[in-house]
Amino acid sequence: MATRGHPRRGAGGAQLKRPGIFPITAALPECPCVTIVDAGAMDLGQTGALPWQPLVDAGLAQVIGFEPVAAECQRLNRMNLAHHRFLPFAIGDGATHRLYMTQFPACTSIFEPNWPFLELFQELAPLFDPRDTFDLTTQRLDDITELREAGCDYLKLDIQCAETAALQGGRAVLARTMMIQTEITLTPMYQGAPSPGELDHALRCLGFCLGVTLGTAAVRSSPCGPRASRPST
């Protein structure tokens, strides 16, 4: 999670303790409706448990979601979630890229899976086995009419290593954004993907710094070495 500015610190640089949490509606006489942008909105079973859900439930937020996998985007719209709308856009740098559809849809990316690395792990490589590949034109955040009209108060990025390009293509839209929730891939699961350092640099160029981590994932390495054959793409 990245926020503008720097974490508050007390004397000697010690991190200040958080005061008791209370509803923001108790502090403000009238709360504005905020716009949450969800890039990579595929439903992985977390709907209803997302960090912004209390705001949506209270009618204090609208969500604009982007999901380039057409079937997934259609399914999200069929759910008829209140204060949500989903568009079939792939967020990136505005160029056309090869999209690598994988067996586990959440691993789909414009970057090709890094098989020599993935095959070092028991349970990881099968998730990336190819289902299909095709050319896909990405959209810059700054070029999307809906965002120019509604703005973006909170941005969530989970687009399989395209996060850096998305930030670089959203300087105008993100000028008034207060918080960014982004996935950071610490291992080279995709060929040619930007490094964590490049993503951090892109965030800092926009005035954001790392605030808190929401979770991590780990996988077990394979004692048997790589698989005998590598999937063709």
Side-chain angles (χ1 to χ4, degrees), residues 204-224:
R204 291 179 184 276
C205 285
L206 293 171
F208 292 88
C209 65
L210 182 64
V212 63
T213 56
L214 297 179
T216 58
V219 292
R220 183 180 304 167
S221 60
S222 171
C224 301

Side-chain angles (χ1 to χ4, degrees), residues 6-209:
H6 301 281
R8 294 182 302 145
R9 295 186 179 276
Q15 188 73 44
L16 292 176
K17 292 185 177 181
R18 238 180 4 171
I21 297 176
F22 57 89
I24 193 168
T25 51
L28 299 177
E30 183 176 351
C31 291
C33 181
V34 300
T35 299
I36 296 163
V37 176
D38 186 356
M42 182 179 295
D43 179 22
L44 299 177
Q46 80 276 33
T47 300
L50 293 167
W52 56 78
Q53 194 60 43
L55 287 175
V56 175
D57 292 341
L60 297 175
Q62 64 168 334
V63 179
I64 302 175
F66 301 109
E67 177 48 58
V69 179
E72 294 293 332
C73 188
Q74 292 168 8
R75 187 165 67 89
L76 286 166
N77 280 315
R78 286 197 301 268
M79 294 171 69
N80 293 318
L81 299 173
H83 311 297
H84 286 69
R85 52 178 163 161
F86 299 96
L87 302 172
F89 296 161
I91 304 303
D93 58 5
T96 298
H97 298 270
R98 196 72 173 164
L99 185 71
Y100 296 88
M101 297 279 294
T102 56
Q103 290 296 331
F104 184 51
C107 296
T108 295
S109 176
I110 61 172
F111 294 96
E112 184 175 1
N114 183 6
W115 294 112
F117 175 79
L118 295 171
E119 290 172 349
L120 297 174
F121 301 88
Q122 290 181 0
E123 303 168 351
L124 198 56
L127 302 177
F128 291 79
D129 283 345
R131 286 196 300 148
D132 194 11
T133 60
F134 54 89
D135 289 337
L136 178 74
T137 300
T138 60
Q139 303 288 329
R140 297 169 69 249
L141 290 171
D142 282 348
D143 295 336
I144 297 174
T145 301
E146 289 81 358
L147 298 188
R148 291 201 302 267
E149 294 175 349
C152 173
D153 299 297
Y154 182 114
L155 173 66
K156 172 246 178 181
L157 292 171
D158 186 356
I159 48 180
Q160 302 308 108
C161 292
E163 291 85 3
T164 301
L167 294 171
Q168 293 169 342
R171 295 182 184 276
V173 164
L174 299 177
R176 298 184 63 182
T177 299
M178 295 306 300
M179 186 171 293
I180 296 176
Q181 175 187 336
T182 180
E183 181 181 53
I184 300 177
T185 304
L186 300 177
T187 53
M189 294 193 293
Y190 298 93
Q191 298 180 33
S195 68
E198 291 173 279
L199 177 57
D200 179 63
H201 178 72
L203 286 166
R204 291 179 184 276
C205 285
L206 293 171
F208 292 88
C209 65

